Amino acid sequence: MDRSFPIVLITGSGTGIGAAAARIFGGGGAAVGVVGRRIEPLENTAAQIEAAGGKALVIPADLADPAAPHLIVSKVAEKWGGLDVIVNNAAAIHHLPVAEATREWFDRHMAVNVRAPYFLVQEGLPYLKESAAPCVINISSSSGSLAIPGQSMYGCSKAALEYLTRSLAAELAPWSIRVNAIAPGPVDTPIHLTWAGDDLEGAYERMKKEVPLQRMGTAEELGEWIVWLAGPQSRFVTGAVIPVDGGQVLPGALSAISGEQDG
Ligand SMILES: NC(=O)c1ccc[n+]([C@@H]2O[C@H](COP(=O)([O-])OP(=O)(O)OC[C@H]3O[C@@H](n4cnc5c(N)ncnc54)[C@H](OP(=O)(O)O)[C@@H]3O)[C@@H](O)[C@H]2O)c1
């Protein structure tokens, strides 16, 4: 179905990468459903989308709730009559060694990072099948492919999201629904407040040293990639997991960096 503006749903769009993508989509005239648990950041993002020339709908929801995908997609579809792009961006994250992990945190990672994206796609399918340019963009992480002590729950949820990306890309290709993922490296967003404790500066210094380009990414850099992946330039791309990580997952990169520093 032809529309005069794209209809986009972005989870976790009150802050960070999701908010940046929402602003950029808004600047292109898109209608954006913004989803998260806290209303205030969502309202801030909605105001920025509208100031940039787009339309916004605030949808407070907890993606750990199995009922959330139906509620979220229904609200967007009722408001604008369709859905073209789903950005599965929200994530649960908690660093714990396996000896200290809890079932509650394990289940939360799977519910928010894997189950919710999967069922958002299921709920969105009738609308995506009617869209002129349908796509799903999953936000993974370099942690989905690197073996990082303490990140087994988060990392395996992201690896599962990458598998979903590939398998759904193949399954939904007959309807020209593209499914891709972006795997960011360290990006300067509020997510690090959840695990870095009092030493955020120290955590940033350590993360920069893990990246060949020796810096954190910005939310805007990631947002631009999300919008690009949804756009016509990428219409022959599906099933891809694109690292936007300053080279973090390059084989041998970490030992090369530490070798340089030692020398
Ligand atoms: N920043 C990085 O270094 C980095 C690196 C690799 C991958 N990533 C990925 O990038 C994505 C975006 O993260 P970010 O860095 O932009 O962090 P962020 O600013 O903390 O954004 C995450 C958003 O998800 C929302 N959220 C979390 N749990 C939720 C739930 N149960 N239901 C609904 N919304 C929920 C949060 O809002 P509420 O708290 O209000 O719900 C928050 O706005 C995530 O998938 C993350 O794994 C980030």
Side-chain angles (χ1 to χ4, degrees):
M1 189 186 298
D2 284 335
R3 304 182 200 287
S4 56
F5 52 86
I7 302 166
V8 182
L9 170 61
I10 310 179
T11 65
S13 36
T15 58
I17 294 168
R23 286 192 293 271
I24 302 168
F25 273 119
V32 188
V34 291
V35 179
R37 290 167 299 181
R38 290 165 296 155
I39 291 181
E40 200 181 325
L42 296 177
E43 286 178 342
N44 286 339
T45 300
Q48 290 169 8
I49 292 167
E50 285 165 358
K55 306 174 206 306
L57 176 66
V58 168
I59 309 171
D62 184 348
L63 292 165
D65 176 357
H70 178 71
L71 172 125
I72 293 165
V73 171
S74 308
K75 288 202 168 168
V76 171
E78 275 166 27
K79 175 86 176 168
W80 291 306
L83 179 59
D84 301 302
V85 179
I86 299 175
V87 183
N88 284 309
N89 168 74
I93 177 167
H94 196 45
H95 297 337
L96 279 177
V98 62
E100 293 164 30
T102 62
R103 280 175 197 227
E104 190 194 359
W105 265 110
F106 188 91
D107 290 347
R108 175 161 278 273
H109 279 90
M110 295 305 147
V112 177
N113 302 1
V114 185
R115 187 180 68 199
Y118 188 74
F119 285 100
L120 279 165
V121 172
Q122 185 190 65
E123 292 288 340
L125 256 189
Y127 307 103
L128 295 176
K129 284 179 178 177
E130 293 293 315
S131 167
C135 77
V136 176
I137 299 165
N138 295 322
I139 307 306
S140 180
S141 168
S142 51
S143 303
S145 48
L146 296 172
I148 306 176
Q151 293 196 23
S152 51
M153 291 186 287
Y154 176 70
C156 79
S157 73
K158 293 299 192 179
L161 188 62
E162 293 185 10
Y163 179 79
L164 281 186
T165 302
R166 289 188 286 269
S167 59
L168 292 180
E171 185 176 323
L172 301 180
W175 292 275
S176 299
I177 299 170
R178 299 184 300 111
V179 186
N180 291 295
I182 290 172
V187 181
D188 181 9
T189 74
I191 206 167
H192 305 294
L193 299 171
T194 61
W195 63 269
D198 293 337
D199 187 20
L200 189 61
E201 209 175 314
Y204 270 38
E205 285 312 309
R206 286 194 299 280
M207 286 189 285
K208 285 179 195 171
K209 286 185 181 144
E210 291 167 1
V211 172
L213 289 181
Q214 298 282 289
R215 70 168 175 89
M216 309 278 287
T218 67
E220 282 68 25
E221 284 172 318
L222 273 296
E224 281 163 10
W225 265 94
I226 292 170
V227 175
W228 189 88
L229 261 184
Q233 313 88 323
S234 64
R235 60 186 171 264
F236 200 48
V237 180
T238 195
V241 178
I242 300 173
V244 181
D245 65 357
Q248 190 181 24
V249 300
L250 285 172
L254 288 182
S255 49
I257 294 168
S258 55
E260 253 176 47
Q261 283 162 351
D262 291 341

